[in-house]
Amino acid sequence: MSSSVSPLAPKTVPDMPVIAGIRLATAEAGIRYKNRTDVLLAVMDKGTAVAGVFTRSKCPSAPVEWCRAKLKGGKARALVVNSGNANAFTGKTGRASTALTAKIAAKAVGCSENEIFLASTGVIGEPLDATKFDGVLGRLAEAAEPGDYLAAAKAIMTTDTFPKVATATVKLGKAKVTINGMAKGAGMIAPDMATMLSFIFTDAPIAPAALQALLKSGVEDTFNAVTIDGDTSTSDTLLAFATGAAAEHGAPKISRASDPRLKAFVKAFNQVLANLAELVARDGEGARKLVEITVEGAKTKASARKIAMSIANSPLVKTAIAGEDANWGRVVMAVGKAGEPADRDKLSISFNGIRVAKRGARDPDYDEAQVSEAMKAPEIAILVSLGLGKGRDRVMTCDLTKEYVAINGDYRS
């Protein structure tokens, strides 16, 4: 957790409403950090539905494997998250740590270990001493209250410079339902499902299968469209919990993701995911520029996504933006190496609404002074027009600065 806040941090933080059936508490367990909270316990009422998507890394963390196995039950009573240690690449010791953590949590909450969900973030390869949770989780279970999402988001931070929360309220049937979310992530971000860690809570009465379908669909144009450094974490975990408490106020019970009554809810749900994903991009390690890359005129949306990600993950593009240089040659390079259909002589490129390249050459109206001034903005929009079809997509990233190297060079120190 950095002592200096990213210049791209939002100026305001939303008020996070209470959600019936969710109680939160945080503590200092001494996992790695001193004098800061590093463990979160979320306690859910009986009957809470759970859904999740996880990293597609072939080297997943022990908590990822635990959660995948427990998702089959579809119900959750508690979530335990620790920062400072990812419990990844820890072999049998890691699996034993997850089992012990779940056992301690289940005893504290009074439920089955199969209803406990776990997430860990931090250093990879260091054994996690789960005995540090003994006693701590019991106190947290007693102290948990339906409230402080900001404190919860702070407890799960590592190199993040600010806590990331988002909320939305929407009508479902006759009732208002709330969707609250939190996320952490600043480096090792090229999600292949979600971000490093993110948790969504709602009081909507949605069955596990329907919630799973909504989550799987929702990540594609939100968390899966964000990259900081092109590296997919071993710990990527996105879990959604639905307590169903709003059913008491007239919200219909939803069993299918295709239920037409979900239309407004789905829009709000996806907006919470999108807001959290953008906050991750705003907090990229060492970032000074938020970058939106749009590719249009591709053969397909999938092709546009691959090209956009090629641009977003290019160190040369990202360092040029850090240097406030509208170097379209580097964008051309990234388009060309993506392996997708492209025609050099149809390619046009704009930075912050100023076209710098047109149909395979420098724009005849190019003005260096105008573009240089535009590149000083904290938010940079790159538009690439391929002129080949109707495929379009958008991804979010940030620049690459010397601070990124410093942060990661010292990460285990």
Side-chain angles (χ1 to χ4, degrees):
M1 184 166 61
S2 175
S3 58
S4 59
V5 177
S6 168
L8 301 173
K11 303 304 180 186
T12 60
V13 178
D15 292 327
M16 302 294 286
V18 166
I19 291 180
I22 303 289
R23 295 180 294 123
L24 306 170
T26 63
E28 298 179 19
I31 302 299
R32 177 170 180 242
Y33 306 115
K34 294 181 179 180
N35 303 316
R36 59 151 287 189
T37 56
D38 58 2
V39 61
L40 160 68
L41 175 67
V43 182
M44 277 77 77
D45 282 357
K46 290 181 180 180
T48 295
V50 61
V53 287
F54 308 93
T55 182
R56 291 179 183 148
S57 168
K58 301 301 182 183
C59 301
S61 68
V64 165
E65 292 183 322
W66 174 275
C67 288
R68 278 179 175 151
K70 305 310 173 189
L71 263 190
K72 298 173 185 177
K75 300 296 181 182
R77 287 296 312 285
L79 166 69
V80 181
V81 188
N82 74 269
S83 57
N85 187 313
N87 195 11
F89 199 62
T90 46
K92 293 181 179 179
T93 300
R95 291 189 286 276
S97 293
T98 58
L100 179 56
T101 304
K103 182 178 180 180
I104 295 170
K107 182 179 179 181
V109 174
C111 68
S112 165
E113 293 169 25
N114 291 327
E115 296 174 299
I116 302 295
F117 287 80
L118 308 172
S120 299
T121 180
V123 173
I124 294 171
E126 296 289 339
L128 173 63
D129 182 5
T131 63
K132 291 186 175 182
F133 295 124
D134 200 8
V136 172
L137 295 182
R139 292 194 299 272
L140 290 180
E142 293 178 0
E145 296 181 349
D148 199 341
Y149 286 87
L150 199 59
K154 288 179 179 178
I156 66 175
M157 291 164 57
T158 51
T159 57
D160 305 63
T161 71
F162 61 88
K164 301 165 183 65
V165 293
T167 186
T169 301
V170 67
K171 267 293 202 62
L172 181 59
K174 297 179 180 179
K176 281 188 176 181
V177 298
T178 300
I179 306 163
N180 285 350
M182 68 180 81
K184 68 81 52 189
M188 200 184 289
I189 302 287
D192 199 6
M193 44 52 64
T195 184
M196 287 182 72
L197 297 182
S198 186
F199 310 106
I200 310 297
F201 305 91
T202 182
D203 53 356
I206 301 178
L211 190 61
Q212 183 67 39
L214 292 181
L215 194 63
K216 185 176 180 181
S217 173
V219 297
E220 286 308 316
D221 289 330
T222 57
F223 284 124
N224 278 1
V226 171
T227 179
I228 301 299
D229 45 27
D231 288 330
T232 294
S233 172
T234 59
S235 306
D236 283 349
T237 297
L238 171 56
L239 294 169
F241 303 93
T243 69
E248 297 180 6
H249 304 287
K253 295 183 179 180
I254 303 296
S255 60
R256 297 177 296 107
S258 59
D259 192 316
R261 295 173 294 181
L262 270 182
K263 185 175 181 181
F265 179 88
V266 170
K267 183 178 180 180
F269 185 83
N270 290 345
Q271 190 58 57
V272 169
L273 296 180
N275 290 346
L276 291 172
E278 181 174 317
L279 291 175
V280 170
R282 287 182 176 276
D283 204 18
E285 290 172 341
R288 295 294 179 267
K289 307 278 188 183
L290 178 69
V291 185
E292 178 186 66
I293 299 168
T294 302
V295 174
E296 63 182 17
K299 287 283 189 180
T300 63
K301 178 179 178 178
S303 181
R305 169 68 62 88
K306 289 182 181 179
I307 292 171
M309 278 295 188
S310 178
I311 298 167
N313 283 325
S314 167
L316 289 176
V317 172
K318 292 159 75 72
T319 50
I321 293 169
E324 300 181 342
D325 177 14
N327 191 332
W328 67 85
R330 294 181 178 183
V331 176
V332 172
M333 172 278 299
V335 172
K337 74 170 185 175
E340 292 296 313
D343 185 331
R344 178 199 61 203
D345 296 333
K346 294 182 178 180
L347 190 62
S348 297
I349 301 167
S350 298
F351 286 84
N352 275 6
I354 302 171
R355 193 169 59 195
V356 296
K358 179 182 179 183
R359 296 186 178 278
R362 186 173 71 179
D363 192 286
D365 297 325
Y366 175 77
D367 183 328
E368 179 74 26
Q370 181 189 28
V371 177
S372 295
E373 185 62 29
M375 293 301 291
K376 294 178 182 178
E379 299 184 11
I380 304 297
I382 299 176
L383 173 63
V384 175
S385 300
L386 298 175
L388 299 177
K390 296 182 179 180
R392 187 180 189 276
D393 208 354
R394 161 190 171 275
V395 303
M396 301 292 294
T397 188
C398 60
D399 57 345
L400 181 60
T401 67
K402 294 177 182 178
E403 285 78 11
Y404 178 89
V405 178
I407 289 167
N408 286 284
D410 295 337
Y411 186 60
R412 293 184 71 249
S413 301

